[in-house]
Amino acid sequence: MNMIQALNSALDVMLERDPKVLIFGQDVGYFGGVFRVTDGLQARHGLTRCFDAPITEGGIVGAAIGMGAYGLRPVVEIQFADYIYPAYDQIVSEAAKLRYRSAGQFTAPLTVRSPYGGGIFGGQTHSQSPESLFTHIAGLKVVIPSNPHDAKGLLIAAIEDDDPVIFLEPKRIYNGPFEGWRDRPVSSWAGHPQAEVPEGYYAIPLGQAAIARGGEAVTVLAYGTMVHVALAAAAHCGIDAEVIDLRTLVPLDIETITESVRKTGRCVIVHEAPLTSGFGAELSALVQERCFYHLEAPIVRVTGWDTPYPHALEWDYFPGPERVAEALRHALSGEAV
Amino acid sequence: MTSASRPNKPVLSLHVPEPPRRPGEAPDFSGLILAEAGAVARPPVHAPAETLRDLPWTLIRVLDGQGRAVGPWNPGLDPETLTAGLKAMILTRTFDERMYRAQRQGKTSFYMKCTGEEAIACAQAGVLRREDMGFPTYRQQGLLIARGYPLVDMMHQIYSNAADPIKGRQLPIMYSSRAYGFFTISGNLGTQLPQAVGWAMASAYSGDDKIASAWIGDGATAEGDFHQALTFASVYRAPVLLNIVNNQWAISSFAGIAGAENTTFAAKGLAYGLPSLRVDGNDFLAVHAATAWAAERARSNLGATLIEFFTYRAAQHSTSDDPARYRPGDEAALWPLGDPIQRLKAHMIHEGIWSDGDHQSAEHEAQEAVRAAAREAEAVGTLGQSKVSSRTLFEDVFAQPDWRLRRQRQQLGV
Ligand SMILES: Cc1ncc(C[n+]2csc(CCOP(=O)(O)OP(=O)(O)O)c2C)c(N)n1
Ligand SMILES: [Mg+2]
């Protein structure tokens, strides 16, 4: 399965298993979503299980909070993460804090799915990576899969989770594991080991990273599309990097990170979001706090620039394998950036 | 739950709106609120809002089925204005077709047409002054075209090439031209509406004579921004036109998902105390007349008007869309309010100021103009072949870049 089919399968399984699960969002009903993730679900499960929502992201998340508080498990789609901002108040002030402010009387067990990230010539309103706007908020979980197998298992775990989960889908790798080379042919998921997706139910617990590539020379922390870019970079420069796919940013698998950096003594952090206050800043602080005496080189971050996401200059913005390879070499040299 | 525990009511059930027809079925327009051409009275511009409350429930139309202009809303336009309007619509459609093909040929990443909706932007461009500020959506390219904005500059933007006036920053068609009264388009739906109200308030605050005009789709009226805009427009009596382009669809969602099962879009203005018109958007003369009425009100310091233009999105939502998956294929062809170009053409032929031959030459002229512009734009380059210098990536983030941007520019090596 490609990632779209894997996500569709997760939703299908959960609609089948749990009558409290329902799906809504813009164009997700009859049409099946602009990325086809909900294709066929309305026909199979009925009009009220998967339906279209008005174009009001605040309304969508607000309604999902009400449903969640009632006892349902709504899964809502925000068509592009760039359009999540009208829902930010509902997510930050409400979903994230319902449990705390009511001392557990009311909870918001909802899942907010949203395609994010660039590399598709989408310009500034179809390319952003807003994950750190959510990791900063107490009470929110943030999940980002990097392959079809994980996407299905993590989405099922997110739906079953009793707290609000922001589930960001790297749209650049919906159809294949994009390595970040702008001028090379892209591959599809067909034949990829992580495209082997079981038909039925399985959950991947939130908070467990995966080692995408074992290595000794340097630890790379990445998630989403950047996992594939990091793997390509390691292959490109022949450095024996250990690439850790975080899979969930909150809760974070700090043990796997710590163990790896203590082993390699070097750390490169890669994300597509801008540098300043990005999730890499948090990772860098954690690694420094926990691995300071093991570090043999300054931690290096490779990220998008502190600019809006451009259209024509997309490939100057996108932190591709060459920039990551450069950072790997840098980490090995031990010099400050 | 047993029936005994229910307080005497049927079991609740969730309502989810569905359009009357889906692919493979015959279109059904029986639910539409229409009216005969000429049937709606035209109140004086100074009429108090509370005397106008029936207007959102009918449809202002001027052109009848025989190509005659009838009734009190007939703006009585002279032949030059009509000819210019028709030519602008033809040029807009020709431009759209060419650029749609260009996207299909891989010359750019994305395109959106306004087919069937040309009358709205093209008629309004003639009523508003260039000093007024328009806050458009991505389907008001007709405003630029009708005002004579260079087609080649639109294409440079679409190709994101080195001559793009906005430096390749935005997705194709997200134009910006301060000089032509065209506010920078946002990809985020609805945001332009409160901004237009603010611009209009600034004009009033400054004792100026400019007004603002904003456009929003039927689907996007669900956003909070729409309601915020109406609140501000009403409270501060802002000199602004708030135009809803109801083309019946929001990507794959029919207007019922935006609330149209229960009311009209124009009627949303009533609760805010705003005069609200419902207008045949495929009728160039009705669009012109309603806009002139609302603009006159705004210029007379009487505040904002909400206008619903009733039309049909004949094209796909964008180059990424395939409407055959969600609506009957022939809905556009059977749309009861027809096609805006054909209707104005029929009227001008009826008036004896236009002929089939004139129409053919106008189409030919439009083809030539578009072809010439495309040749010029493609000589600069299509997407990826030509682009602004990489240095510009770091410009315009702030008026003055801080140390981070200077450093990041060095890291990129530019
Ligand atoms: C805030 C926001 N949410 C969602 C989208 C995605 N989107 C782009 S166009 C569109 C449909 C808009 O429909 P409508 O307002 O009726 O305008 P039309 O396209 O019909 O002209 C949607 C959902 C967006 N651009 N911005
Ligand atoms: Mg619409």
Side-chain angles (χ1 to χ4, degrees), chain B residues 161-185:
Chain B
N161 66 22
D164 175 2
I166 51 169
K167 301 186 178 172
R169 299 259 169 76
Q170 282 243 66
L171 205 62
I173 74 164
M174 303 283 176
Y175 314 106
S176 176
S177 174
R178 196 171 178 121
Y180 282 75
F182 196 94
F183 192 74
T184 160
I185 297 180

Side-chain angles (χ1 to χ4, degrees), chain B residues 67 126 135 141 152 170 172 187 190 387 400:
Chain B
F135 290 75
Q141 55 266 57
V152 66
Q170 282 243 66
K387 53 180 185 289
Q400 299 299 332

Side-chain angles (χ1 to χ4, degrees), chain B residues 392-406:
Chain B
T392 63
L393 178 55
F394 303 95
E395 294 169 1
D396 300 323
V397 179
F398 299 108
Q400 299 299 332
D402 63 23
W403 61 270
R404 297 172 305 159
L405 291 168
R406 287 196 298 271

Side-chain angles (χ1 to χ4, degrees), chain A residues 26-27 34 55-57 78-80 82-84 86 125-126, chain B residues 112-113 117 137-139 186-191 216-221 223 225 245-253 258 313 317:
Chain A
Q26 292 153 21
D27 302 289
V34 296
I55 305 174
T56 161
E57 291 74 14
I78 300 297
Q79 201 164 80
F80 287 87
D82 314 73
Y83 303 140
I84 208 164
T125 56
H126 301 86
Chain B
M112 294 172 109
K113 304 202 275 188
E117 305 173 27
T137 71
Y138 44 70
R139 255 185 255 285
S186 174
N188 298 59
L189 295 170
T191 50
I216 189 167
D218 47 285
T221 61
E223 289 287 3
D225 307 64
V245 181
N246 174 9
N247 62 8
Q248 316 300 322
W249 291 92
I251 310 186
S252 75
S253 295
R313 196 197 78 210
H317 171 73

Side-chain angles (χ1 to χ4, degrees), chain A residues 27 57 125 276 306 311-312 316, chain B residues 109 160 168 223 252 390 404 408:
Chain A
D27 302 289
E57 291 74 14
T125 56
T276 302
D306 284 318
H311 182 253
D316 286 327
Chain B
S109 54
S160 242
E223 289 287 3
S252 75
S390 298
R404 297 172 305 159
Q408 290 176 18

